[in-house]
Amino acid sequence: MVLIVLTIAVIILFFVAVTNDDYFDIGVIMNSSFELAVLILMIIIVIAAYFQTSKLDVNTHPMSMLDDVLLFIAIPAFFLETIFSMVPAIYNVSVLNICIILSQLIQILIQTPFIIDGMRRCSNAAINRRKKPGRELITFLTIANVSLWIYYTFSVKTEYTGDERYAFYGYTLWSILNHLSLPLIMFYRFHASVCLVDIWRHAYEPGGGH
């Protein structure tokens, strides 16, 4: 919950800062640094969580593939976002933005298989039901995905808030390109959090249907 509160605080401070010329650059750097920090932390947590949940048993009960499909449907949007954003970032030598773009892509590429694997885990062994390996990490990932969903929903980047993509592509073109990817990116974050809650609830129970 602290991360969600921090996300909201960063969004508010960002919009306050960009309305003041004296704090404009600080606001942009703060906003971007926050996003990068969350993504890097999520990458580390996903890797750590996988090593923990790999100790659980595999649930052999037939499962619905719907959640898998919904996750995969959104992934192309991240590749589009990466391509569209990387070009102006490289052109402007924006190291911070390049790091954000790459971190976001890496994060979803390792989080997606983790979620798919996690939804196929159960705890037939009593020791796993008692120790619940990785559950705290899954809790963090759930909150982090919700936080990013909030961030992408309310932290609307425009040409007036330092988004270099508007200057590179032009307002109309980037608005079109952005609307091709952003809705699916937001959907991915929301659905990923739902799937993680499902893992949190069912992966530490004896095998059976989710």
Side-chain angles (χ1 to χ4, degrees):
M1 293 303 293
V2 174
L3 184 57
I4 293 178
V5 173
L6 183 60
T7 301
I8 296 172
V10 167
I11 292 172
I12 294 172
L13 290 173
F14 171 67
F15 280 109
V16 170
V18 295
T19 57
N20 189 318
D21 292 338
D22 294 333
Y23 298 102
F24 183 89
D25 291 338
I26 295 176
V28 172
I29 293 174
M30 176 196 66
N31 192 53
S32 298
S33 298
F34 171 77
E35 183 179 2
L36 179 60
V38 172
L39 289 169
I40 291 175
L41 188 57
M42 289 176 73
I43 290 172
I44 296 171
I45 296 297
V46 167
I47 295 172
Y50 175 75
F51 282 108
Q52 290 295 313
T53 56
S54 63
K55 300 174 184 177
L56 303 177
D57 303 301
V58 176
N59 189 350
T60 56
H61 191 279
M63 296 183 58
S64 170
M65 300 292 290
L66 179 60
D67 286 324
D68 298 354
V69 173
L70 292 176
L71 286 172
F72 281 119
I73 284 176
I75 288 179
F78 285 93
F79 284 95
L80 287 175
E81 179 82 1
T82 298
I83 295 170
F84 295 153
S85 301
M86 187 62 78
V87 175
I90 293 175
Y91 179 81
N92 294 313
V93 197
S94 301
V95 177
L96 185 56
N97 287 337
I98 291 173
C99 291
I100 291 173
I101 295 163
L102 293 177
S103 296
Q104 177 176 246
L105 186 61
I106 293 170
Q107 198 278 321
I108 64 106
L109 287 178
I110 63 174
Q111 177 177 264
T112 303
F114 166 74
I115 291 174
I116 292 172
D117 178 78
M119 289 191 296
R120 287 158 175 78
R121 295 286 178 172
C122 63
S123 297
N124 293 325
I127 188 172
N128 286 334
R129 292 197 296 272
R130 184 174 69 255
K131 291 188 174 181
K132 296 179 172 55
R135 202 179 202 190
E136 297 84 359
L137 301 177
I138 292 172
T139 301
F140 174 84
L141 288 173
T142 303
I143 295 172
N145 276 279
V146 172
S147 296
L148 286 179
W149 178 78
I150 294 172
Y151 177 83
Y152 294 139
T153 301
F154 295 102
S155 184
V156 181
K157 297 180 180 179
T158 69
E159 59 183 327
Y160 305 109
T161 57
D163 192 332
E164 62 188 7
R165 293 168 294 190
Y166 282 98
F168 186 84
Y169 291 108
Y171 180 83
T172 302
L173 179 57
W174 175 243
S175 295
I176 295 172
L177 295 176
N178 192 34
H179 282 83
L180 290 176
S181 58
L182 186 59
L184 282 175
I185 289 174
M186 292 170 59
F187 171 77
Y188 175 90
R189 291 301 177 188
F190 180 80
H191 186 62
S193 64
V194 173
C195 292
L196 287 163
V197 169
D198 187 63
I199 296 171
W200 190 91
R201 291 176 56 196
H202 298 291
Y204 302 98
E205 297 176 351
H210 283 206

